[in-house]
Amino acid sequence: MSGVAVLVEQHRGIVPGSALEALRVANTLAADLGTHVEAVLLGDDALFEAHGDELTAVCTAHGASVVHCCRHELLADYGPDAWGMSLAAVAEHARPSAMVAAGTDRGAEAMAQLAARLDVPLVANCVRIEPGTPWTVSRLQWGGSLVEDVTLESPLPLLTVAQHAVAADASDPPDVHAAQATVSVLAPELGPAAERTLVRKRVDRTGGITLSTATVVVSGGRGVGSADGFARLEELAELLGGRVGCSRAVTNNGWRSHADQVGQTGTRIAPEIYIACGISGAIQHWVGAMGSKNVLAINIDPEANMVTKAGYAVIADLHEVVPAVCDEIRRRRDRRDESGESGPTST
């Protein structure tokens, strides 16, 4: 039987956690179907010369027995048409039994391109997939506010995996001793249409942890009051080794960059703790934060959606609570340093 193909996104040679989640789902599907996993990598010659071996090793360690390397100058960065055409070339070449991708913005757009080119259905944001005749799938709808059960009948099932629906390596760590995967090099024919939408240039942001990888995220909403009001949130995030996020209302007011937005149209996060300050908790925001392990809401409104959804809540003015928390963290650290103790600050 043909394998389960999975798009493995990479960013300058680094495979994100979302791609590892997709690989894990592909492994589960392959086991159910009695077949194997075939990873798909997209890039130009420079990428594969610099990172090809390590990318193949990552795919191998996470269960892929075949790695298809699509190489073309137009794949140097992201382009929905170029990616869709390349995935169609893989489908024609490998004849997979199913194709899977992470439900990221790129994964969803590229798979939609593929579905349109092959004239087959795509089921997006899946949280449960069971092969059969027909396939049965549960997927997130309405911004994650409900789960819909659907059936899928298609000559080539196409699916994207809802982000954080599974843990990348929670119970199945990578097999560093796995046999090297077979590498298949493809040179897709990408015509002028592939150049319609391409990332041509990037501006590097400050290095360090990102919203999507941070273990602590401190976010502010309209209740912060102004751009200057985020100074205290920045202070708290720095003390906790985290990142600052925000709601859509904040970016609409021009207080923070869209890159800091948490939500359906922003970044989806899964920190150990999410501290939501002055955020009402509209469903679009909750979709981006629902993967958090713990949620602490600080809000003056006890009926706010974020308060009702949070595991912990402080009903008070964030402008009083956040500075007090910062002061307490510093006080405990100073006391620990004076006593010569080591380890994380107890809060």
Side-chain angles (χ1 to χ4, degrees), residues 294-333:
N294 297 282
V295 177
L296 167 62
I298 304 173
N299 205 299
I300 59 174
D301 181 6
E303 303 300 323
N305 288 337
M306 185 58 71
V307 172
T308 62
K309 292 181 181 296
Y312 308 90
V314 178
I315 308 304
D317 187 345
L318 71 91
H319 299 288
E320 297 176 358
V321 174
V322 173
V325 172
C326 291
D327 291 343
E328 180 64 15
I329 292 174
R330 278 192 291 267
R331 185 185 69 80
R332 295 194 183 193
R333 286 186 176 176

Side-chain angles (χ1 to χ4, degrees), residues 215-253:
T215 57
V216 177
V217 175
V218 181
S219 275
R222 197 189 306 272
V224 175
S226 67
D228 292 339
F230 276 86
R232 281 295 198 177
L233 273 63
E234 294 277 5
E235 181 182 0
L236 178 58
E238 183 177 357
L239 286 168
L240 296 174
R243 276 292 303 269
V244 169
C246 66
S247 67
R248 182 172 180 176
V250 168
T251 60
N252 286 346
N253 286 336

Side-chain angles (χ1 to χ4, degrees), residues 140-223:
L140 298 180
Q141 287 281 59
W142 290 92
S145 61
L146 62 84
V147 177
E148 179 185 36
D149 294 327
V150 300
T151 58
L152 172 62
E153 295 184 85
S154 172
L156 176 58
L158 303 181
L159 312 110
T160 65
V161 181
Q163 293 188 75
H164 311 304
V166 298
D169 295 314
S171 60
D172 298 313
D175 183 2
V176 296
H177 302 295
Q180 184 69 16
T182 300
V183 177
S184 168
V185 179
L186 301 177
E189 295 183 9
L190 305 181
E195 300 185 58
R196 285 183 295 199
T197 307
L198 285 173
V199 175
R200 298 287 190 182
K201 183 180 179 181
R202 289 179 176 271
V203 177
D204 290 332
R205 299 181 64 203
T206 303
I209 58 175
T210 65
L211 267 182
S212 60
T213 61
T215 57
V216 177
V217 175
V218 181
S219 275
R222 197 189 306 272

Side-chain angles (χ1 to χ4, degrees), residues 20-46:
L20 300 183
E21 293 171 10
L23 274 162
R24 186 175 181 192
V25 170
N27 275 281
T28 300
L29 288 178
D32 292 341
L33 293 168
T35 185
H36 59 279
V37 174
E38 302 187 12
V40 180
L41 295 169
L42 308 178
D44 61 356
D45 289 342

Side-chain angles (χ1 to χ4, degrees), residues 29-103:
L29 288 178
D32 292 341
L33 293 168
T35 185
H36 59 279
V37 174
E38 302 187 12
V40 180
L41 295 169
L42 308 178
D44 61 356
D45 289 342
L47 171 84
F48 285 108
E49 288 169 6
H51 303 289
D53 290 343
E54 58 192 272
L55 288 171
T56 299
V58 170
C59 295
T60 300
H62 287 82
S65 57
V66 177
V67 178
H68 300 290
C69 300
C70 291
R71 302 172 69 138
H72 195 284
E73 60 181 6
L74 295 181
L75 297 174
D77 211 317
Y78 177 66
D81 295 284
W83 280 35
M85 291 178 182
S86 298
L87 292 177
V90 172
E92 182 178 357
H93 170 77
R95 301 293 180 182
S97 52
M99 295 188 74
V100 179

